[in-house]
Amino acid sequence: MAFIEIRNLVKRYGKVVAVNNIDLNVEKGEMLTLLGPSGCGKTTTLRCIAGLEKPQAGEIIIDGRSLLAEGFVQPSERGIGMVFQNYAVWPHMKVLKNVAYGLKLQKIPKHKIRERALQVLDMVGLGGLEERYPAQLSGGQQQRVALARALVRNPKVLLLDEPLSNLDAKLREKMRFEIKSLVRRMGMTSVYVTHDQAEAMVISDRIVVMDSGNVVQTGTAQDIYQMPANRFVADFIGTMNFMSGEIISVEAETNSAYVKTEFNDKLLCKTTDGTNLKQGDQVFASIRPEDVEISPDRPETSGNLVAGTIAHKAYLGNFLFFFVTVKGITIRVQVPHYVPLEEGADIYLSLNPEKCMVLV
């Protein structure tokens, strides 16, 4: 049995369905991330787990305890710690009092409260700052205060709602690893919400991609990046070239298909399930920029080979992006920074059949 079980969860706001009959499992000690664009239902799902929203239907079970079946369990009784996007620290309280507040409500002896609060502040790297006010801290330090306050009661589950979105890029990258390391050391079961795909890929044990209140795909970062379930997932996770086309034949035995595109009569691509495709289906031949091979001279291979011209070149430090025009279609290619080709050069592109995917 999973530590957190969500069954047939439905949450509506009037006629708008924010969460559409979803099922989720979170294993003990796992960090699961809900990933998707604004309005996809990820934060609403998190708030239902926390008890801040009451769903119209479904079941939420934490550590074997139903939170809905036998009456609505209040947030304070769910054994949950939550970190909000805007930190939600009290500006009139010093750091120590901010962190210790939750323990005071439990009527724990004062010396135990101080001891526990200082212990958690050390854990999140704020030792020695307990007498400062939030306004005297950086954004990253304020986020650590919010994290310490969520952890001080030793919750069964930690919920994090876009906790890094208000930080600058460098600090956000640093805090990803800090949160991941801390949660892993504590062995805490966590549900993390973000719209940032890089953040999700770094921090998660598993990722749940959501769209319009639905779960579209669940898996590891590698699963979702290399084997996206559909065009939405492929487009949301990383960068993908999409070339519209039509299925001309299906090779079910090898999970592949031939696709006719606007610039090529016959591209061989892998399929997730060839039996669901048939001749004449409108699809996208799709490939990641880093999986496209280039050559200034025509290579010996003839499969999935097209000729094009470098229209634009973008330098990004450790790699280059070439925007290659092939019969009016632009294909983005990622190459090492030292490749000497310039704009206007004619080149050949090899779209590796093992990396080219059919998506709908």
Side-chain angles (χ1 to χ4, degrees), residues 51-275:
L52 301 175
E53 299 285 352
K54 189 173 183 179
Q56 278 80 19
E59 181 63 285
I60 299 173
I61 301 169
I62 295 181
D63 194 17
R65 182 191 183 192
S66 173
L67 305 181
L68 299 173
E70 299 177 3
F72 185 79
V73 177
Q74 295 300 317
S76 60
E77 299 172 1
R78 295 189 175 204
I80 283 171
M82 188 159 182
V83 181
F84 296 90
Q85 181 178 352
N86 61 355
Y87 315 150
V89 296
W90 290 290
H92 64 288
M93 289 185 183
K94 292 182 178 179
V95 167
L96 183 65
K97 288 188 175 181
N98 258 288
V99 174
Y101 184 78
L103 295 178
K104 287 182 178 180
L105 298 179
Q106 294 179 317
K107 299 181 180 180
I108 296 173
K110 284 186 178 181
H111 71 282
K112 290 287 187 182
I113 291 176
R114 180 178 177 84
E115 180 183 321
R116 174 61 179 164
L118 290 174
Q119 179 186 22
V120 175
L121 284 171
D122 281 338
M123 193 183 300
V124 299
L126 291 178
L129 301 182
E130 61 271 11
E131 294 303 317
R132 292 193 185 182
Y133 285 99
Q136 297 172 307
L137 303 176
S138 68
Q141 289 171 329
Q142 288 185 48
Q143 188 57 279
R144 287 189 180 94
V145 173
L147 183 59
R149 191 176 59 191
L151 294 173
V152 74
R153 295 174 62 183
N154 195 27
K156 291 181 178 181
V157 175
L158 180 64
L159 306 179
L160 303 104
D161 185 12
E162 307 225 29
L164 307 183
S165 60
N166 291 330
L167 305 181
D168 63 66
K170 275 288 185 184
L171 185 55
R172 191 162 63 240
E173 185 175 358
K174 179 183 177 183
M175 286 295 293
R176 290 172 190 164
F177 291 101
E178 289 190 7
I179 290 176
K180 181 175 182 177
S181 176
L182 178 62
V183 170
R184 185 164 288 177
R185 287 201 314 271
M186 297 183 71
M188 188 164 289
T189 306
S190 309
V191 182
Y192 192 102
V193 162
T194 184
H195 64 275
D196 186 322
Q197 51 98 0
E199 190 172 300
M201 294 179 78
V202 167
I203 210 165
S204 314
D205 294 312
R206 284 189 305 139
I207 299 171
V208 176
V209 182
M210 297 186 67
D211 181 35
S212 302
N214 298 291
V215 172
V216 183
Q217 187 174 2
T218 301
T220 66
Q222 186 174 358
D223 291 339
I224 289 172
Y225 188 82
Q226 295 184 353
M227 296 173 287
N230 55 27
R231 180 179 175 174
F232 172 81
V233 176
D235 196 28
F236 198 80
I237 304 289
T239 305
M240 182 73 83
N241 291 296
F242 296 103
M243 299 157 282
S244 59
E246 177 183 315
I247 296 287
I248 55 175
S249 68
V250 177
E251 310 292 326
E253 300 81 9
T254 58
N255 285 329
S256 59
Y258 284 98
V259 181
K260 181 179 180 180
T261 68
E262 296 177 58
F263 59 83
N264 193 294
D265 288 338
K266 201 174 184 181
L267 281 181
L268 179 60
C269 302
K270 301 298 288 184
T271 64
T272 54
D273 186 357
T275 59

Side-chain angles (χ1 to χ4, degrees), residues 1-5 7 25-28 61-65:
M1 179 183 292
F3 195 74
I4 302 175
E5 295 180 79
R7 295 285 173 264
N25 285 334
V26 188
E27 301 301 327
K28 188 173 179 60
I61 301 169
I62 295 181
D63 194 17
R65 182 191 183 192

